[in-house]
Amino acid sequence: MRLEGMPAGHRLRYGPAAEGIERLEASLVGVAFSPHRHDTYAIGVTLAGVQTFRYRGESRHCLPGEWHVLHPDEVHDGAAGTGDGFGYRIFYIDPALVQEALGGAPLPFVADPVIRGRGVPASLAACLAGLDEPLDGFARVEVGVLVAGMLARYGAGRYGSARYGRRGPLPMAALARVRELIASDPVVRRPVEEFERVTGLDRWTIARQFRAAYGTSPTRFRTMRQLDLVRRLLLAGTPAREAAVGAGFADQAHMTRMFKRAYGRTPAAWRAALP
């Protein structure tokens, strides 16, 4: 990817997705991402330029060929380290896919987000390099296994136990019911008593163990599913105000604030960056 001479701005290109996997190629010249956080793992490689970002209170740099691994719900920004801008490709991996490979262990947490290219499985790198190639069912499983193995290798302790303070298996069947209930209709704000009823767990246990399983809270998970709906509506040509109401936000201003906190750009800037 060559960035010299490109006009200032933010360019996005998505590859074919699969359940739990989104792939993106992006370039930034003369602009930056504001602080934001995803509810997915963000695992990417710098292709050109110097990528800089703040993560867990420290400034980081990622050079061409180097990878970065950001944990769900960790605030970060993104900018070019030079005036030439930077380009990268990235996976957004649903923690539930990692959970399928881990078998119910708490999610691994990688404290140092920059990984040299040789530390990334070659087949995982190839999957991102082939951005325009579709991901079939087995490729999806392979990505989940490779990502889980890499995260466990670089994480704190075998399965990130230093962060979550728990080594035993999580009640994944019960937690999956909470997740599925939210995802089935994120526009609906469900009472905590409903989660307790479908899981047989108390609200405090649900809150702690949902985060250990999926890297975020049930409330945050719902917000991100609402924003997924907003993105689909915007791509379909729905006006932002109608998209906000249709996704269950109080108004367009509320949706815009949540969108920027999730993606580092306003809905209008995100839509303008797409082909």
Side-chain angles (χ1 to χ4, degrees):
M1 173 182 289
R2 293 181 59 82
L3 298 172
E4 295 85 348
M6 281 185 60
H10 177 204
R11 302 290 181 268
L12 302 176
R13 183 169 70 88
Y14 288 91
E19 183 182 355
I21 302 173
E22 193 171 65
R23 295 178 296 170
L24 170 69
E25 180 179 276
S27 62
L28 273 77
V29 179
V31 296
F33 289 114
S34 61
H36 61 286
R37 56 192 174 118
H38 315 283
D39 69 338
T40 61
Y41 280 102
I43 302 173
V45 59
T46 302
L47 301 177
V50 178
Q51 181 177 183
T52 68
F53 58 98
R54 288 195 64 81
Y55 185 74
R56 295 177 61 79
E58 294 185 35
S59 180
R60 310 283 186 164
H61 297 79
C62 203
L63 303 177
E66 295 181 343
W67 289 68
H68 65 271
V69 176
L70 308 180
H71 194 276
D73 252 10
E74 286 289 340
V75 176
H76 58 282
D77 56 15
T82 71
D84 294 328
F86 74 97
Y88 63 97
R89 286 185 176 178
I90 193 167
F91 288 108
Y92 294 105
I93 305 290
D94 188 337
L97 182 59
V98 178
Q99 274 294 342
E100 292 180 26
L102 292 176
L107 290 175
F109 179 73
V110 179
D112 185 348
V114 178
I115 295 176
R116 304 299 177 258
R118 286 181 294 180
V120 176
S123 51
L124 184 65
C127 183
L128 193 55
L131 183 75
D132 296 317
E133 299 173 6
L135 292 172
D136 61 22
F138 187 77
R140 172 187 176 274
V141 171
E142 183 181 32
V143 169
V145 170
L146 291 171
V147 168
M150 185 177 73
L151 294 174
R153 175 183 176 187
Y154 288 101
R158 187 181 176 206
Y159 290 120
S161 56
R163 179 167 198 188
Y164 292 114
R166 179 191 175 101
R167 290 183 178 272
L170 297 163
M172 290 306 303
L175 297 174
R177 286 194 289 273
V178 173
R179 191 176 190 275
E180 291 163 6
L181 191 61
I182 296 170
S184 66
D185 191 353
V187 176
V188 175
R189 185 185 298 274
R190 300 184 185 276
V192 68
E193 291 82 5
E194 187 171 0
F195 296 145
E196 292 177 322
R197 186 170 62 254
V198 301
T199 62
L201 304 173
D202 66 81
R203 62 195 64 189
W204 309 109
T205 300
I206 293 170
R208 289 193 304 270
Q209 297 188 353
F210 192 96
R211 182 173 290 279
Y214 301 119
T216 192
S217 68
T219 299
R220 177 69 177 164
F221 179 76
R222 174 181 176 249
T223 298
M224 293 303 297
R225 302 293 73 75
Q226 289 177 275
L227 292 174
D228 286 343
L229 178 54
V230 166
R231 290 196 299 169
R232 291 194 297 270
L233 291 170
L234 292 177
L235 287 174
T238 305
R241 182 170 59 183
E242 294 178 20
V245 174
F249 289 100
D251 51 34
Q252 183 178 344
H254 180 211
M255 179 271 286
T256 298
R257 289 195 302 273
M258 295 299 103
F259 196 102
K260 192 171 182 180
R261 290 176 190 176
Y263 305 115
R265 308 290 284 166
T266 65
W270 174 81
R271 184 65 187 89
L274 295 169

Coordinates of all heavy atoms in Angstrom, one line a residue, residues 6 50 62 86 94 163 171 177 197 217 266:
M6 N -1.6 10.7 -1.5 CA -3.0 10.5 -1.3 C -3.6 11.8 -0.7 O -3.0 12.4 0.1 CB -3.3 9.3 -0.5 CG -3.2 8.0 -1.1 SD -3.6 6.6 0.0 CE -5.3 7.1 0.3
V50 N 3.9 4.7 9.6 CA 4.1 4.4 11.0 C 2.7 4.7 11.7 O 2.2 5.8 11.7 CB 5.1 5.3 11.7 CG1 5.3 5.0 13.2 CG2 6.5 5.1 11.0
C62 N 3.7 1.1 15.7 CA 3.6 -0.1 14.9 C 4.1 0.2 13.5 O 3.6 1.0 12.8 CB 2.2 -0.6 14.9 SG 2.0 -2.4 14.6
F86 N -0.6 6.4 7.2 CA -0.3 5.0 7.4 C -1.5 4.2 6.9 O -2.6 4.6 6.7 CB 0.0 4.7 8.8 CG -1.2 4.6 9.8 CD1 -1.8 3.4 10.1 CD2 -1.7 5.8 10.3 CE1 -2.9 3.4 10.9 CE2 -2.8 5.8 11.2 CZ -3.4 4.6 11.5
D94 N -15.0 -11.5 17.0 CA -15.9 -11.7 18.1 C -15.3 -12.6 19.2 O -14.9 -13.7 18.9 CB -17.2 -12.3 17.5 CG -18.4 -12.3 18.5 OD1 -18.1 -12.3 19.8 OD2 -19.5 -12.4 18.1
R163 N -5.6 -11.1 34.8 CA -6.6 -10.1 34.7 C -7.9 -10.5 35.3 O -8.5 -9.7 36.0 CB -6.8 -9.7 33.2 CG -7.8 -8.6 33.1 CD -7.9 -8.1 31.7 NE -8.6 -6.8 31.8 CZ -8.9 -6.1 30.7 NH1 -8.7 -6.5 29.5 NH2 -9.6 -4.9 30.8
P171 N -19.6 -20.7 33.1 CA -20.9 -21.3 32.8 C -21.4 -20.8 31.4 O -22.3 -20.0 31.3 CB -21.8 -20.8 33.9 CG -21.3 -19.5 34.3 CD -19.8 -19.6 34.2
R177 N -26.9 -17.6 26.8 CA -28.3 -17.2 26.7 C -28.5 -15.7 26.9 O -29.4 -15.1 26.3 CB -29.1 -18.0 27.8 CG -29.3 -19.5 27.4 CD -30.4 -20.2 28.3 NE -29.9 -20.4 29.7 CZ -29.2 -21.4 30.1 NH1 -28.9 -22.4 29.3 NH2 -28.9 -21.5 31.4
R197 N -33.5 -14.8 35.3 CA -34.4 -15.9 35.1 C -33.9 -16.9 34.0 O -34.0 -18.1 34.2 CB -35.8 -15.3 34.6 CG -36.9 -16.3 34.5 CD -38.2 -15.7 34.3 NE -38.3 -14.9 33.1 CZ -38.3 -13.6 33.0 NH1 -38.3 -12.9 34.1 NH2 -38.4 -13.0 31.9
S217 N -19.3 -5.8 29.0 CA -20.4 -5.9 29.8 C -21.7 -6.2 29.0 O -21.7 -5.9 27.8 CB -20.7 -4.7 30.6 OG -21.0 -3.6 29.8
T266 N -17.3 10.0 13.4 CA -18.7 10.2 13.4 C -19.3 9.3 12.4 O -18.6 8.8 11.4 CB -19.0 11.7 13.1 OG1 -18.6 12.0 11.8 CG2 -18.4 12.6 14.1

